[in-house]
Amino acid sequence: MSKELEKRSEELEQTLNKQLELLKKESEDWLKVGAVVAAGALLAFAVVKATRKKKQHKTQEALEALDREGLLNEDIRRRLTEPKKSTFWPTLSQRVLILGLALAKDRIYSALFARPEEEKESEKS
């Protein structure tokens, strides 16, 4: 009976070790995906912040120039400082950007999740 318990205990330990190894491998993949998502979010945040500063700086300069010339009134100030309303249809540059991001995502995912056998076969071809 004790031999059976020891054997069962060893089997359970081996099973647990295999499960832990599998979990480690899967968590590495998720970590890579998370890192890619985090890097993309930081990049998008930086781009948005940089473009907003430029726009606000240029708007402020335009307001000051109009004020110096005496051409600034409330209507012009409101038009220059009021945020632009979004439209339903995106511009062509936005469409191209989304298409590029989708293509990049597909390539990154295929590179991250490629199996070693597939990589070896592709190198042989």
Side-chain angles (χ1 to χ4, degrees), residues 32-33 36 101-114:
K32 289 177 185 177
V33 171
V36 168
L101 289 174
L103 291 173
K105 179 191 72 152
D106 289 341
R107 286 191 179 189
I108 289 172
Y109 282 167
S110 64
L112 284 177
F113 297 116

Side-chain angles (χ1 to χ4, degrees), residues 20-73:
L20 286 174
E21 289 175 14
L22 182 65
L23 180 66
K24 286 180 184 178
K25 287 181 183 178
E26 288 178 358
S27 66
E28 287 176 5
D29 292 339
W30 282 108
L31 184 63
K32 289 177 185 177
V33 171
V36 168
V37 169
L42 287 175
L43 179 66
F45 178 73
V47 167
V48 167
K49 193 167 186 170
T51 56
R52 275 197 184 151
K53 280 186 179 179
K54 278 185 187 177
K55 184 179 176 184
Q56 288 174 351
H57 183 67
K58 288 181 180 180
T59 304
Q60 190 63 31
E61 286 179 355
L63 286 172
E64 290 172 1
L66 287 171
D67 194 28
R68 279 192 305 259
E69 298 295 326
L71 300 173
L72 185 63
N73 60 24

